[in-house]
Amino acid sequence: MLDFVYFPVSAVLWCWHQLFAIPLGAASGLAWLLAVVALVVTVRALLVRTALRQARSQRVLRSLQPQMDAIRRTHRDDPRAQAEKIRLLQREHNVSMFAGFVPLIAQGLVFLGLFHVLRSFDRTGAYAVGPFTSTDSPLSVEVNNATANYLFGAPEVRAFLDARLFGAPLSATLSGAGEVVVAVAALAIPLVLIAALATHFTARLTPAVGDNSTAAIMRTLSLWVFPAGALVSGAILPVVVLTYFATNALWTCGQQYLIQRTLAAEESAKKALVTTAARAAAPRPGVKPQRRKR
């Protein structure tokens, strides 16, 4: 159903794993986790320009908030006219609401693809044929170990299943770790703490759009509920997927910090340019302004 996502994700992951397997070995848990980290960095780097355009649009949108509020008051009884006026105002200032969803959609598809590809290394369970489906006839261990997983061949499937880091299998979850719960906790707990803290500080770095109740609710969700969700995920998601979450959250936090600094520098440069132009146009002290000849 989503092969157009699964194959590209597995291709990027395969390339990075091949690279890290050279010094570390194909069955190295560190090689697999570094490949996941590199996958996140690759995708997010491709989306940097889109994220910067989105941030600029959000800044313009905040400056237009008083005008949009005035339109809503003026056309309170006509939602269609209200929406049309706001759309025209946004178009006039080159604000694209859809552009803001592009990074979110891309990240969501990559996560879904990665989750499915990683889960498909072990197809001996009922939920290993797709993200939303199950099967009554899972593969046996022998058949699974001899079956390719998208661009990963059978030897790489076995390498992933054999991979360990500090004794913890990469596909293990904290809730189902069993005898290796200590080893899994040593990896899972730091990863979820990183994800939760990075999510919280990203929200702090993100200026709110509007001052209505919806904006306040989203602010509260971003500051506290989403980080709490990251903590809860630590008990149910595999270590290798938690690595994705922690890396993605760290990248988002760092990117948000750099974007805000970039926008602040652009705003300062714009103000300095306006000030310089105003000073150049102002008459010098002691010099009378010239009158226009009739």
Side-chain angles (χ1 to χ4, degrees):
M1 182 176 65
L2 292 176
D3 284 350
F4 72 96
V5 176
Y6 302 148
F7 277 101
V9 168
S10 66
V12 176
L13 187 64
W14 182 88
C15 290
W16 282 116
H17 176 255
Q18 293 298 306
L19 179 64
F20 290 118
I22 295 173
L24 299 174
S28 167
L30 183 59
W32 284 102
L33 293 187
L34 287 176
V36 172
V37 171
L39 170 67
V40 175
V41 172
T42 301
V43 173
R44 296 303 302 271
L46 294 174
L47 294 172
V48 165
R49 294 185 64 181
T50 303
L52 186 57
R53 287 198 299 269
Q54 176 193 0
R56 290 192 177 112
S57 294
Q58 290 295 321
R59 172 161 287 199
V60 174
L61 195 61
R62 287 194 298 274
S63 68
L64 296 177
Q65 197 64 43
Q67 298 180 54
M68 290 191 294
D69 290 340
I71 291 173
R72 292 188 182 97
R73 289 193 298 268
T74 303
H75 302 279
R76 186 175 303 172
D77 299 328
D78 191 348
R80 180 175 297 180
Q82 182 184 118
E84 181 65 19
K85 292 285 185 180
I86 291 176
R87 186 181 64 81
L88 291 175
L89 179 66
Q90 292 174 348
R91 180 190 294 179
E92 181 182 346
H93 291 83
N94 296 319
V95 174
S96 174
M97 299 301 294
F98 177 75
F101 294 101
V102 172
L104 296 177
I105 294 172
Q107 292 173 54
L109 288 175
V110 169
F111 168 73
L112 185 63
L114 178 64
F115 184 75
H116 176 64
V117 170
L118 292 175
R119 189 173 63 171
S120 296
F121 279 107
D122 184 1
R123 289 146 293 186
T124 58
Y127 297 94
V129 296
F132 309 111
T133 56
S134 62
T135 179
D136 295 328
S137 55
L139 301 182
S140 66
V141 174
E142 294 76 13
V143 173
N144 181 78
N145 291 347
T147 304
N149 177 27
Y150 293 97
L151 293 187
F152 291 97
E156 291 155 328
V157 171
R158 292 191 293 271
F160 178 86
L161 296 175
D162 292 338
R164 300 287 189 275
L165 189 62
F166 304 129
L170 302 186
S171 58
T173 63
L174 194 57
S175 59
E179 296 178 355
V180 293
V181 64
V182 175
V184 174
L187 291 174
I189 292 175
L191 289 172
V192 297
L193 287 176
I194 290 171
L197 290 173
T199 302
H200 175 78
F201 284 109
T202 299
R204 286 188 174 275
L205 291 168
T206 305
V209 179
D211 54 358
N212 52 35
S213 58
T214 302
I217 292 172
M218 290 304 301
R219 182 75 172 172
T220 301
L221 290 174
S222 300
L223 282 171
W224 306 110
V225 178
F226 295 158
L231 291 175
V232 173
S233 69
I236 59 176
L237 291 178
V239 169
V240 67
V241 177
L242 293 177
T243 302
Y244 168 88
F245 268 126
T247 306
N248 194 61
L250 273 178
W251 178 285
T252 302
C253 188
Q255 176 179 275
Q256 189 64 24
Y257 173 75
L258 293 176
I259 283 178
Q260 293 305 315
R261 289 195 62 177
T262 301
L263 295 180
E266 291 176 355
E267 191 69 22
S268 297
K270 187 184 297 184
K271 290 180 179 179
L273 186 62
V274 172
T275 302
T276 302
R279 288 176 179 174
R284 297 179 180 178
V287 178
K288 295 182 179 180
Q290 296 181 354
R291 295 180 179 179
R292 294 181 180 178
K293 295 181 180 181
R294 295 183 178 177

